[in-house]
Amino acid sequence: MPETVRSGDVRRSAHSLRRPTPRPLLPRLVLLLPLLAIHRADAQEGGVCAASLNVKPEICANAPGEECDAMNANLITLGDDVQVSICLTSSSTLVGTNIGVGGVLQTGTRFEVALTCKDGSCSAMHESGILEYLGFEPAAGVSSNFLLQTYPGCTDGQACGYLTVSQEVEVTEDSTRCVGTIKARAARFTTTNNGLFYVRAATAPETPFLITDELCIPGLTASGAGTTTALIAPPSPMPLPPSPPS
């Protein structure tokens, strides 16, 4: 006889053939998103920053024994004392904002300094002897020194040199930090450019400025350069000798 199939067995058999209803994915993704964000933060700390260093040579001049005045840089008289300070500001920012960020000059950072250039790029130097080197004074709280010597692109051993910083120096975005002052005396008038000369300072390539602000992804570096001008006035003409008696 054919086997009798009961209706309850049919219902159970049909139920066993149904596929399980899939669980919705959205709630699970919502739960995973915070975990993904934490993982991303661990893998990449800090934001995207743009590193930039503003190098500012600043000149002042004065007659011996008087106070050095930046206004005198445009009218230096032969025999005046001339001071060239190498100063810095971080112009680095957090990208997409106006938030400034700072960093450090690394130990051993060197600045190439050219004291008597013919133009702003220092592609050529004036004749030697315009400034007589007198000495160097580190800025307060900074360990630094200056040595007159030639380097690629600057061939006057009396007007070219390296300023070296022998410790880390913090450079912020909201204040100017000077690292030292070169002292000289105006010794010679140059007819080229009618007495005008340029001073240029630039970081040497081997020790760049390092961004250390916690807002930034670590490892960003920058170099910097800056130029300023000064003018030595022509010497006063010698008075004419008195006319002989007629």
Side-chain angles (χ1 to χ4, degrees):
M1 287 181 68
E3 185 178 353
T4 303
V5 180
R6 290 173 294 183
S7 61
D9 294 336
V10 173
R11 286 196 299 271
R12 283 193 297 270
S13 177
H15 178 75
S16 65
L17 293 175
R18 293 177 185 170
R19 295 182 179 178
T21 303
R23 296 173 63 184
L25 292 177
L26 185 58
R28 297 173 68 188
L29 288 174
V30 170
L31 291 173
L32 285 173
L33 284 176
L35 297 176
L36 291 172
I38 293 172
H39 174 74
R40 181 179 177 84
D42 289 341
Q44 182 173 291
E45 296 179 358
V48 177
C49 295
S52 178
L53 179 66
N54 187 13
V55 179
K56 300 184 294 182
E58 298 179 354
I59 300 178
C60 67
N62 59 279
E66 296 184 2
E67 185 177 355
C68 203
D69 189 343
M71 297 299 293
N72 293 337
N74 285 328
L75 195 60
I76 299 171
T77 302
L78 289 176
D80 280 358
D81 291 336
V82 179
Q83 298 185 21
V84 180
S85 297
I86 307 303
C87 302
L88 317 159
T89 303
S90 173
S91 47
S92 310
T93 59
L94 182 65
V95 172
T97 75
N98 59 357
I99 299 173
V101 296
V104 296
L105 295 179
Q106 302 175 75
T107 300
T109 294
R110 296 197 303 171
F111 292 87
E112 299 172 342
V113 181
L115 295 172
T116 55
C117 305
K118 286 184 176 180
D119 54 48
S121 64
C122 271
S123 59
M125 301 292 292
H126 280 296
E127 62 270 24
S128 189
I130 291 175
L131 295 180
E132 176 191 356
Y133 177 71
L134 299 179
F136 176 78
E137 183 178 342
V142 176
S143 178
S144 60
N145 63 79
F146 179 74
L147 179 63
L148 282 174
Q149 68 177 85
T150 61
Y151 57 83
C154 194
T155 56
D156 183 354
Q158 297 184 50
C160 308
Y162 283 108
L163 190 162
T164 303
V165 176
S166 54
Q167 66 179 52
E168 277 195 357
V169 177
E170 183 180 11
V171 182
T172 65
E173 71 282 2
D174 54 5
S175 62
T176 297
R177 185 71 182 267
C178 297
V179 292
T181 299
I182 300 163
K183 297 184 177 183
R185 180 164 292 139
R188 181 178 178 182
F189 174 76
T190 173
T191 55
T192 307
N193 293 350
N194 294 318
L196 181 71
F197 64 94
Y198 295 77
V199 176
R200 186 175 189 272
T203 51
E206 68 272 13
T207 48
F209 174 62
L210 177 66
I211 298 298
T212 56
D213 199 296
E214 61 184 7
L215 291 175
C216 304
I217 296 170
L220 292 176
T221 59
S223 58
T227 310
T228 190
T229 59
L231 179 70
I232 296 177
S236 300
M238 296 291 292
L240 296 175
S243 301
S246 55

